[in-house]
Amino acid sequence: MVNYAASLKENALSINQELRWFKDILNARLQLHRGEECTYKSIWDIQPPEHTEKNSYYSKFIGYYKSTLAERLLLMLVLAPHVQPQLLDPFYVKNTMFDRGYTEFGGLKGNTHSGFIPTGETAVFLLAGVNIYERSLATELFNDTHYLVKHNIIQLQDAGLNEPYLSGAISLTQDYQNYFIKGHNTKPHFSKEFPAKLITTQMEWSDLVLPQDTLTQIEEIKTWIQHRHTLMDSWGFNKKLKPGYKSLFYGPPGTGKTLVACLIGKLCEMDVYKIDLSMVVSKYIGETEKNLERVFKMAENKNWVLFFDEADALFGKRSGVSNSNDRYANQETAYLLQRIEDFDGVAILATNLKTNIDEAFARRFQSLTYFPVPQQEERFKLWEQSFSQATVLEDSLDLKQLARKYELSGGMIMNVIRYCSLMALKRNENVIRLDDAEKGIQKELVKEGRVL
């Protein structure tokens, strides 16, 4: 294994070489623009570094993407504020004729950052000056289909209503800041900008208790994850099929929907992020779409599973149009339909009732998986394997009888076991008693409006 410190050192060397080249390009662009004496007739006459460092993260990146010189310059422009912000200070020069900065340089002032924050205009000026044709070519770098945007490497922020779109700040996403500087990505933190939490489980696949039909359908998801690149790329199905895999988990609460999502991620070495719908769904027109778009954008080209619990709050049925609110709600659903269909990753939606999900969404799922309330044999297995090895059952506690008598979900059974175990600890013993089990069961039934 390559030493991490050695890789960091090689990467720093690559970045320094690239920044020196960027500095020469920037100086030449400014000299040519102002009509000053310049060694070069064009910025493209300046030779870029070759990057022979094998373990440099940056070198691996531009080698993998076969990055053009324009793409490399753009990367340095958005990386510079994080590693050598002083390189962009020349953009602060004033136009003496108007006693203000040059409009064509673009740029913004940050709230706390004292340096120059580049905008789309800055990037286009650096690459093309004021040549309209070359500027048009340079703007292709900001297209949604370009890998820098599609793979969420750079972001051109919305400039606002009636503002030129190039006046929005252009930046390197947090993932790639970490990659180019540290050599690895950090996991995103739960926030308004990313309303999703990483969920995990200590359980294993062998702990799962589900009917064979359900397990077979879950196996299909695992198979797709394991063979997706061969199917889509090597076999050419990327021309015939929509990207990604979308599955609907439906069934009563406590039947294992969230657990299975976590286990799929664990088995396939993928992070599972549970979307907090309370921070996504908004009463304000257009805000729900914006909130969800941020999540999907961050998840593009990532080895993640997006998990939407109680998904009917977001993907519910459309209503008849009787007023403007209904019309906007249906427009929101239409957007969600298109966005989830275009998502290139794994998305799992969970709901208690399949009928609550709009049929148009259901047609876009690759699989619909039903999670039923466990049958008697499955309930017995759940009772049997879920108690701690540190406890013993009193003689009168017959797990087969409990499984036969009470129709409980797996989640309910675990709640009863937790209650029994706490009562035993309260008595300073490790004996699980029948009386506690029956009290725990009664508590669970009352929650659902059922009585013994």
Side-chain angles (χ1 to χ4, degrees):
M1 182 179 291
V2 178
N3 182 276
Y4 176 62
S7 295
L8 276 181
K9 190 172 182 178
E10 283 201 42
N11 188 65
L13 177 62
S14 291
I15 297 293
N16 276 323
Q17 289 175 339
E18 199 82 340
L19 287 171
R20 283 196 292 269
W21 172 64
F22 171 84
K23 182 179 179 180
D24 291 342
I25 293 279
L26 174 56
N27 289 336
R29 170 59 71 201
L30 293 174
Q31 289 169 353
L32 292 169
H33 179 63
R34 293 193 291 254
E36 299 173 354
E37 183 178 349
C38 182
T39 307
Y40 307 98
K41 292 182 179 180
S42 166
I43 63 169
W44 307 114
D45 293 338
I46 304 174
Q47 293 300 308
E50 293 186 5
H51 295 302
T52 57
E53 303 83 7
K54 294 181 180 179
N55 298 316
S56 162
Y57 313 123
Y58 179 76
S59 297
K60 290 177 181 178
F61 175 91
I62 62 174
Y64 175 81
Y65 282 108
K66 297 179 173 59
S67 301
T68 65
L69 298 188
E71 292 162 356
R72 287 166 61 176
L73 279 176
L74 180 55
L75 287 171
M76 287 301 102
L77 177 65
V78 294
L79 181 62
H82 303 281
V83 292
Q84 287 189 14
Q86 69 275 16
L87 286 182
L88 304 184
D89 285 352
F91 283 124
Y92 277 131
V93 66
K94 279 191 175 183
N95 185 330
T96 55
M97 183 178 295
F98 300 107
D99 193 32
R100 52 157 293 173
Y102 285 84
T103 304
E104 58 267 39
F105 295 173
L108 297 171
K109 291 182 179 180
N111 294 325
T112 55
H113 179 63
S114 62
F116 184 91
I117 296 177
T119 61
E121 182 61 54
T122 312
V124 171
F125 171 78
L126 176 68
L127 296 170
V130 293
N131 184 297
I132 293 178
Y133 171 69
E134 292 182 3
R135 285 170 60 87
S136 298
L137 295 179
T139 58
E140 295 293 319
L141 296 173
F142 307 131
N143 285 350
D144 289 343
T145 54
H146 193 286
Y147 77 85
L148 288 173
V149 178
K150 184 178 181 181
H151 293 176
N152 202 32
I153 298 166
I154 65 168
Q155 292 176 331
L156 178 61
Q157 293 182 3
D158 185 7
L161 185 65
N162 298 326
E163 297 280 351
Y165 85 101
L166 288 176
S167 60
I170 188 168
S171 60
L172 192 64
T173 60
Q174 186 67 53
D175 277 349
Y176 282 90
Q177 289 177 37
N178 291 324
Y179 177 74
F180 287 138
I181 296 171
K182 304 176 184 177
H184 59 81
N185 295 330
T186 57
K187 299 184 188 302
H189 298 294
F190 177 77
S191 67
K192 183 179 179 181
E193 295 302 312
F194 185 68
K197 296 178 180 178
L198 180 67
I199 56 174
T200 60
T201 180
Q202 296 298 315
M203 297 183 71
E204 302 296 337
W205 203 261
S206 57
D207 297 321
L208 205 55
V209 180
L210 287 171
Q212 187 56 50
D213 287 348
T214 303
L215 289 171
T216 300
Q217 293 176 58
I218 295 168
E219 190 69 30
E220 184 181 331
I221 304 174
K222 291 162 50 185
T223 302
W224 187 88
I225 293 171
Q226 292 164 351
H227 300 286
R228 63 192 186 276
H229 296 303
T230 302
L231 179 71
M232 300 300 284
D233 300 329
S234 301
W235 287 21
F237 276 91
N238 52 3
K239 300 176 183 178
K240 305 172 184 178
L241 300 176
K242 286 289 186 179
Y245 194 99
K246 297 86 188 178
S247 182
L248 177 68
F249 290 179
Y250 66 100
T255 50
K257 298 184 289 294
T258 303
L259 173 61
V260 167
C262 289
L263 287 172
I264 288 173
K266 188 173 185 177
L267 183 70
C268 299
E269 298 183 342
M270 302 173 72
D271 287 338
V272 182
Y273 285 94
K274 181 179 178 181
I275 312 303
D276 187 336
L277 294 183
S278 68
M279 293 183 67
V280 172
V281 178
S282 173
K283 64 180 179 180
Y284 298 106
I285 294 171
E287 285 301 307
T288 299
E289 293 96 315
K290 288 182 181 179
N291 294 338
L292 192 63
E293 178 62 26
R294 284 197 293 268
V295 174
F296 278 124
K297 196 75 173 177
M298 286 194 69
E300 293 285 359
N301 202 42
K302 298 285 199 321
N303 197 36
W304 292 354
V305 175
L306 293 185
F307 181 67
F308 296 84
D309 198 13
E310 299 181 0
D312 35 318
L314 191 59
F315 302 93
K317 286 189 173 181
R318 284 171 283 191
S319 60
V321 178
S322 59
N323 54 48
S324 60
N325 287 337
D326 291 336
R327 183 168 63 255
Y328 285 123
N330 289 345
Q331 288 175 358
E332 177 182 291
T333 301
Y335 160 79
L336 295 175
L337 278 167
Q338 186 62 48
R339 192 60 184 87
I340 198 168
E341 189 171 34
D342 292 340
F343 178 53
D344 66 0
V346 178
I348 296 175
L349 282 64
T351 181
N352 295 338
L353 292 172
K354 184 178 72 170
T355 53
N356 289 346
I357 298 293
D358 192 291
E359 291 180 2
F361 283 112
R363 290 195 297 271
R364 286 162 170 80
F365 295 132
Q366 278 70 52
S367 65
L368 305 175
T369 305
Y370 178 54
F371 287 72
V373 172
Q375 298 301 304
Q376 179 180 329
E377 184 177 342
E378 293 157 356
R379 293 196 295 269
F380 171 66
K381 189 174 181 181
L382 285 166
W383 281 112
E384 187 179 40
Q385 71 181 28
S386 298
F387 281 105
S388 169
Q389 296 287 330
T391 61
V392 294
L393 309 182
E394 70 174 359
D395 294 340
S396 59
L397 181 53
D398 186 342
L399 297 183
K400 287 188 176 180
Q401 184 177 359
L402 290 183
R404 181 173 59 253
K405 187 176 180 181
Y406 301 109
E407 292 187 2
L408 304 176
S409 68
M412 295 170 75
I413 289 173
M414 285 307 305
N415 285 340
V416 175
I417 291 173
R418 179 190 294 112
Y419 175 79
C420 294
S421 302
L422 285 173
M423 292 302 100
L425 289 169
K426 185 178 179 180
R427 294 189 297 268
N428 294 318
E429 62 182 30
N430 69 338
V431 179
I432 304 298
R433 298 184 180 180
L434 174 61
D435 183 56
D436 290 332
E438 290 182 336
K439 285 181 181 177
I441 291 170
Q442 184 175 17
K443 285 163 60 73
E444 291 303 305
L445 293 176
V446 168
K447 287 181 188 178
E448 295 199 342
R450 296 154 61 188
V451 294
L452 288 173

